[in-house]
Amino acid sequence: MVLASQAQHGMWITEVMHDTGTAYHMPFAMWFDGPLDRGAMLKACESVLARHPVLGCAFEDRDGALHLVPAADRPPVEFVQAADPEALIREELARPFDLGRGPLARFTLAEVAPSRHLLLFVGHHLVFDGESKDLLVRDLAAAYSGGPLPPLPMPYGAAAAVPPEAEAYWREHWRDLPTVVVGGVARTARTAGRGETVLLDLTAEMAGWERAGVTRFELFLTAVHALLFGYGNAEAAVAVAMSTRRQETRDHIGLFATELPVYSAPTPGTTLAELAHVLRAQLRRLNGFRDVPVARAAGGIRPRPALAPVSISFRRRAADVAFPGLELAAAWKMPNHMVRNVLHLQAVDGDDGLQLTLHYSPDIIEREQVELAGEHLRAVLAADPGLRLADLPMPTAAPVPAPQVAVPVPLAGPVTLDGELVEQVRQIWMEVLRIDDIAPDEDLYDLGGHSLTITQISARIRKRLGVEVPFDVFLDDPTVSGVAAAVSELRA
């Protein structure tokens, strides 16, 4: 089965085939209090895996395309005793997935105390998204109390061509804005880096716009754009995760999300309400153009770990489900300790209000600035919709210099390139790009390369040369020589 279209799998699909640590691991912890039936819970996990075949798959590069294939092994369902459940979570989160071998999901049931259990699910983002958490809990509860579940078909179809109108729309509207000003400092995320979090409860602040004619998500997006304008960004790009589930896939666990850039360039006299309705109109139009073309002409989009320096994931959580005799506490916003953006705002809007997690990398932005940004966001949300952006209630703070990122020191001296290795890499490039001759110093992007091209090149290098080339290499030195040098260093 060929990998589905980007409208089904999102802009992340090609990045995640590279060495990004736990950036695409999605942990989900469920804490159960009460007399849990261990055997029934383990069988429920097996039933969920049987119902959703995508959890037992791997990805394979074949004939220049990515294919979804059965994994070499079944997804594991394990029981352990856990005196230190937090240590167990850290260990399971850090365990790598082999994308070419699979499977891309696993369950661990841990007894913490006689009447307290932790059920930890870790899935790769290629087969799991935010809404999948609700489906996972729903199906687990049904299987735990009622037995095996009927299986669902594989949800992903064949790759589809990007509609011409979508291609035309993005050719006209795409603007590459990789930098954002926060705290008086221009910041750019170059790689997926170690992540930390700041937690906020914004329930009270979200209540003020109930009759403003916009949804809660549109209100939240407006506040983020207004915040960025207040920080001195004349134009801002915010990547927004949008669901692509349809009627036929509403019950399927998998990756049904795309990430689209939402732009704003308001004036100081623009009111919050006016900005909200501008963004609302833009979102309405974006709904028709979720197929985002990856391939770009030379000088166009270059791959980065994130589509925009600031991103939002905003999800309305489903109603709670019951496990007979048990009380469930689920960690709906569980971090994976990696971040791709300067700031990633993960909001879960449930019956208990709106809970926000601000994800950031301390290598890019300091915690004090993130905490201050959170309080500024709170103030914007609480402001009157008729307030002008020039009058935003954001207390000023002295600019804080961006942290100095340590430059890795090579462990060995300069690499002497092996001519045979360069030729092997060159042959792979020519196969993937379908070009008869490529010079070792030609730029990949000038040759028409893009993120899918990088995925295919990396997969073939991994298969033939036994080395996983990090995504960063194709940013720093996108030439045959540069990639060959990286292969040589990794082998050493």
Side-chain angles (χ1 to χ4, degrees):
M1 181 177 298
V2 180
L3 197 60
S5 69
Q6 280 191 285
Q8 292 174 301
H9 288 84
M11 290 296 288
W12 309 290
I13 194 69
T14 53
E15 302 165 16
V16 296
M17 301 298 289
H18 304 285
D19 181 16
T20 50
T22 62
Y24 296 96
H25 293 195
M26 295 193 68
F28 184 38
M30 293 154 276
W31 297 86
F32 292 96
D33 288 301
L36 182 139
D37 184 332
R38 182 190 307 168
M41 185 60 75
L42 292 174
K43 287 182 180 178
C45 295
E46 295 281 5
S47 183
V48 168
L49 293 173
R51 177 171 170 80
H52 300 281
V54 71
L55 297 177
C57 286
F59 286 88
E60 180 180 287
D61 173 50
R62 189 168 68 245
D63 303 324
L66 293 176
H67 293 254
L68 195 64
V69 297
D73 303 302
R74 284 179 53 81
V77 177
E78 300 174 336
F79 173 77
V80 299
Q81 300 285 343
D84 186 351
E86 295 302 324
L88 172 66
I89 291 173
R90 289 193 298 271
E91 291 169 6
E92 287 299 314
L93 178 58
R95 281 175 58 189
F97 288 106
D98 186 334
L99 299 183
R101 179 181 175 86
L104 303 182
R106 52 180 177 261
F107 280 104
T108 305
L109 178 63
E111 183 180 280
V112 180
S115 60
R116 185 167 176 77
H117 288 77
L118 163 66
L119 179 59
L120 178 64
F121 172 88
V122 182
H124 197 284
H125 200 8
L126 284 173
V127 298
F128 201 73
D129 61 10
E131 195 169 339
S132 293
K133 297 177 183 179
D134 293 304
L135 298 172
L136 180 65
V137 173
R138 185 199 66 184
D139 286 353
L140 275 173
Y144 181 74
S145 58
L149 303 172
L152 293 171
M154 188 70 74
Y156 301 160
V162 175
E165 58 271 22
E167 176 76 41
Y169 176 86
W170 288 110
R171 188 183 301 113
E172 177 185 352
H173 291 87
W174 178 272
R175 297 189 296 285
D176 196 14
L177 302 174
T179 299
V180 65
V181 176
V182 180
V185 176
R187 307 171 194 269
T188 304
R190 283 188 53 81
T191 61
R194 63 189 180 101
E196 296 182 0
T197 57
V198 170
L199 307 180
L200 291 175
D201 184 333
L202 299 176
T203 303
E205 289 76 15
M206 290 290 291
W209 284 48
E210 294 294 344
R211 294 178 297 279
V214 294
T215 67
R216 288 170 67 83
F217 165 65
E218 290 162 352
L219 160 61
F220 186 82
L221 177 63
T222 299
V224 173
H225 274 270
L227 179 69
L228 296 180
F229 179 83
Y231 283 164
N233 297 276
E235 183 175 24
V238 175
V240 174
M242 302 177 73
S243 175
T244 60
R245 275 184 170 80
R246 296 174 179 158
Q247 181 69 20
E248 62 272 19
T249 54
R250 65 179 183 178
D251 292 326
H252 287 263
I253 285 175
L255 177 54
F256 295 93
T258 188
E259 190 174 77
L260 301 179
V262 177
Y263 301 100
S264 70
T267 67
T270 303
T271 68
L272 286 170
E274 290 169 344
L275 177 59
H277 286 280
V278 167
L279 295 174
R280 177 185 176 90
Q282 187 178 162
L283 287 169
R284 293 296 184 272
R285 192 172 185 198
L286 282 181
N287 281 328
F289 302 107
R290 295 190 183 190
D291 288 299
V292 183
V294 176
R296 299 283 168 170
I301 301 171
R302 293 204 173 196
R304 293 193 309 274
L307 185 68
V310 176
S311 67
I312 293 175
S313 171
F314 188 101
R315 187 171 64 85
R316 175 66 187 177
R317 185 164 63 82
D320 292 337
V321 296
F323 288 78
L326 299 172
E327 292 185 6
L328 168 64
W332 298 104
K333 307 189 306 302
M334 199 169 177
N336 60 15
H337 309 300
M338 294 284 285
V339 66
R340 297 179 294 124
N341 311 83
V342 175
L343 280 176
H344 174 61
L345 296 86
Q346 183 184 13
V348 176
D349 198 13
D351 293 338
D352 56 349
L354 187 127
Q355 310 298 318
L356 175 66
T357 304
L358 288 166
H359 299 262
Y360 70 98
S361 171
D363 296 327
I364 298 175
I365 186 170
E366 44 292 313
R367 184 178 186 86
E368 293 77 11
Q369 283 295 338
V370 177
E371 291 174 341
L372 183 61
E375 293 309 311
H376 286 166
L377 182 64
R378 185 191 302 279
V380 174
L381 283 168
D384 185 279
L387 188 70
R388 300 186 319 148
L389 298 186
D391 302 322
L392 288 174
M394 295 192 305
T396 57
V400 178
Q404 296 297 313
V405 180
V407 177
V409 178
L411 297 179
V415 176
T416 301
L417 283 182
D418 183 333
E420 182 179 348
L421 176 60
V422 172
E423 181 59 24
Q424 288 175 307
V425 173
R426 193 174 77 91
Q427 288 295 327
I428 291 173
W429 280 43
M430 289 191 295
E431 292 171 13
V432 172
L433 292 166
R434 299 180 182 179
I435 296 176
D436 292 336
D437 187 40
I438 297 175
D441 61 350
E442 286 191 85
D443 190 291
L444 175 66
Y445 308 108
D446 292 340
L447 296 170
H450 46 78
S451 52
L452 181 57
T453 306
I454 294 172
T455 298
Q456 295 165 339
I457 290 173
S458 291
R460 297 188 188 202
I461 289 176
R462 180 173 60 247
K463 184 181 295 185
R464 298 182 196 177
L465 305 179
V467 170
E468 183 75 43
V469 179
F471 188 79
D472 300 355
V473 169
F474 293 91
L475 296 175
D476 297 334
D477 193 350
T479 64
V480 168
S481 297
V483 173
V487 171
S488 183
E489 287 185 26
L490 291 166
R491 281 179 166 178

